Amino acid sequence: MTADDRAAGAADDRGRAAAAADDIEIPIGRPPANLRVALSKILWIGIWLVFLASPVMDLVHREHGAPATILGWLGLAVFVATYLSLVFRFTSRVDAWLVPGASLVFLYALGSVLAYSLGDAWLGIFVYVSVAMGAVLPFRAARWAIPLVTATMILIGTRTEPVGEVVASLGLLTFMIGFAMCGIRQLVRTTIELREARATVAELAANEERLRLARDLHDLLGHSLSLITLKSELAGRMLPAHPDKAAEQVADIERVSRQALVDVREAVTGYRRAKLSEELAGARTVLAAAGIAATVPAVAPALPEPVEEALAWALREAVTNVVRHSGARRCTVDLAGRQTLDGPVCELVVEDDGSGGSGTQGNGLTGLGERLAAVDGTLEAGPGRKGFRLAARVPLGSAASDHASPPPETGAPLGSDL
């Protein structure tokens, strides 16, 4: 399994754990999914209605007269309903609905009228006005609205109480709780953004997995099906005169198809890793089956796994293209180490004498370029001296030299002429 697959799996595990946590806790920042969650939200918000105890007790025990008492209960009910509608929607989804400015102005005006008309016991409702301002307004507006609410509360309270007592009892609380709600509002916004980012990461991981699977299937099936096609044609030509040799080709077809099935299963499960030695042997087989004289290295040098895998896929794609598109009679595979200004690199060159190519990259070369880029490698593909030339270079860093022997320098006898 590749590192990207393991990272995607870990991201999925973290996403499932976070989703499970959301199911346990009150999901702040999203609409209630069911009645239980809605009741939990109402209970959480309702706890903070404790500051309404003083106005309620004032209506119950003080004599304002019947009309004033009725209007007081009505005003308190309208105030609480407006406040709860604002804060409940805020804790459900930020910016998913439009709050009319009139709602906040109405809440502020109603609170001022109730406190001014019914006495100091009603000053606590300014706490809720401050909370609503901090919850609904953006900070650039809330930083002016909250001090205005606090100043209004202090101004009304100083009619009967010294300004110091009003500030100490409710003034600081109104001011601080309003700005605390601004912080909670930002926390809710951040929670929503993190949830959306988690969903985006999961989608990107799924897209990356689909891309990996498509790339692996293209490289695996393109090579195997080309070899099966060639051997089928060869068996058909041999069948009338040489049935024994045709039977050998059919046996090879069965072997290749079984191996292709194994490779596809490994690719789907994420455990497929191409090996350079296997691809060199496969290149000799498929080129010989296609009737192309080839010079292919006899053995593969010891390379780090990422470098070996990238070059193995490059060799497979290059040989497949030679067989399917070039019409070549000869193909040369060169694998050598080179010293460049940026450090040592391992270079794979596949060159044929066929009709060449248009230079336009298809899915195979595009996917191959992505594989090489993952290990900081480069790909060059285009017309060569006689036909088409593909060169893949992968750097050999210090980590590579610690774990593997670099391939011989250019000129060393690596190949065997087939």
Side-chain angles (χ1 to χ4, degrees), residues 299-322:
V299 295
L303 295 170
E305 285 188 6
V307 176
E308 179 186 10
E309 185 173 1
L311 293 178
W313 286 115
L315 177 60
R316 173 180 284 243
E317 177 64 24
V319 171
T320 301
N321 287 340
V322 170

Side-chain angles (χ1 to χ4, degrees), residues 1-11 208-209 212 270 306 309:
M1 182 177 291
T2 64
D4 289 342
D5 297 332
R6 289 192 294 268
E208 178 64 24
E209 180 64 13
R212 180 197 68 81
E309 185 173 1

Side-chain angles (χ1 to χ4, degrees), residues 16-346:
R16 286 191 291 270
D22 283 346
D23 291 339
I24 297 173
E25 301 174 358
I26 297 176
I28 297 177
R30 61 171 60 174
N34 50 54
L35 180 60
R36 182 182 63 83
V37 176
L39 292 176
S40 299
K41 286 178 175 287
I42 293 174
L43 179 61
W44 183 77
I45 296 171
I47 293 174
W48 301 101
L49 297 179
V50 64
F51 291 101
L52 294 179
S54 182
V56 171
M57 297 300 294
D58 179 70
L59 289 174
V60 172
H61 296 293
R62 291 188 57 181
E63 297 293 336
H64 289 291
T69 301
I70 294 173
L71 290 176
W73 282 111
L74 180 61
L76 183 62
V78 173
F79 181 90
V80 172
T82 305
Y83 167 77
L84 290 179
S85 67
L86 290 174
V87 178
F88 185 78
R89 291 184 180 181
F90 153 72
T91 57
S92 297
R93 179 173 293 171
V94 175
D95 293 338
W97 55 286
L98 180 63
V99 178
S103 297
L104 290 175
V105 174
F106 173 75
L107 195 69
Y108 169 74
L110 180 59
S112 301
V113 170
L114 291 173
Y116 185 84
S117 303
L118 299 175
D120 295 345
W122 291 73
L123 291 177
I125 63 176
F126 280 102
V127 172
Y128 301 100
V129 179
S130 181
V131 167
M133 296 293 182
V136 173
L137 294 177
F139 182 74
R140 62 179 179 274
R143 64 182 179 179
W144 300 107
I146 293 172
L148 174 63
V149 172
T150 305
T152 303
M153 188 273 296
I154 294 174
L155 183 62
I156 294 176
T158 53
R159 294 185 307 154
T160 56
E161 300 289 340
V163 63
E165 292 184 8
V166 177
V167 172
S169 61
L170 285 175
L172 290 177
L173 178 62
T174 302
F175 183 83
M176 293 175 62
I177 201 170
F179 281 103
M181 184 54 65
C182 290
I184 295 176
R185 181 180 191 273
Q186 184 59 38
L187 178 62
V188 172
R189 184 183 296 275
T190 302
T191 301
I192 295 173
E193 291 175 352
L194 288 176
R195 188 177 294 118
E196 294 174 349
R198 188 176 65 198
T200 301
V201 168
E203 182 179 357
L204 291 176
N207 290 338
E208 178 64 24
E209 180 64 13
R210 283 194 292 268
L211 178 61
R212 180 197 68 81
L213 184 58
R215 189 167 54 221
D216 286 358
L217 290 179
H218 174 275
D219 294 343
L220 290 169
L221 294 181
H223 180 84
S224 299
L225 293 178
S226 296
L227 181 57
I228 290 173
T229 301
L230 289 171
K231 285 189 171 292
S232 298
E233 294 175 350
L234 185 59
R237 291 196 298 267
M238 292 179 174
L239 188 58
H242 305 283
D244 52 339
K245 294 183 178 180
E248 294 177 0
Q249 297 298 323
V250 172
D252 286 343
I253 292 173
E254 180 182 2
R255 179 185 57 80
V256 172
S257 61
R258 290 183 182 276
Q259 183 60 42
L261 181 60
V262 172
D263 291 344
V264 169
R265 287 173 176 170
E266 291 178 348
V268 170
T269 55
Y271 289 95
R272 170 67 180 171
R273 188 178 77 84
K275 296 182 180 180
L276 192 55
S277 58
E278 295 178 359
E279 296 305 324
L280 289 173
R284 286 192 291 270
T285 300
V286 71
L287 289 172
I292 300 175
T295 301
V296 181
V299 295
L303 295 170
E305 285 188 6
V307 176
E308 179 186 10
E309 185 173 1
L311 293 178
W313 286 115
L315 177 60
R316 173 180 284 243
E317 177 64 24
V319 171
T320 301
N321 287 340
V322 170
V323 172
R324 296 175 62 184
H325 306 303
S326 70
R329 291 177 297 177
R330 186 171 186 83
C331 176
T332 300
V333 177
D334 181 33
L335 183 63
R338 301 184 187 278
Q339 186 66 37
T340 67
L341 295 177
D342 296 328
V345 300
C346 186

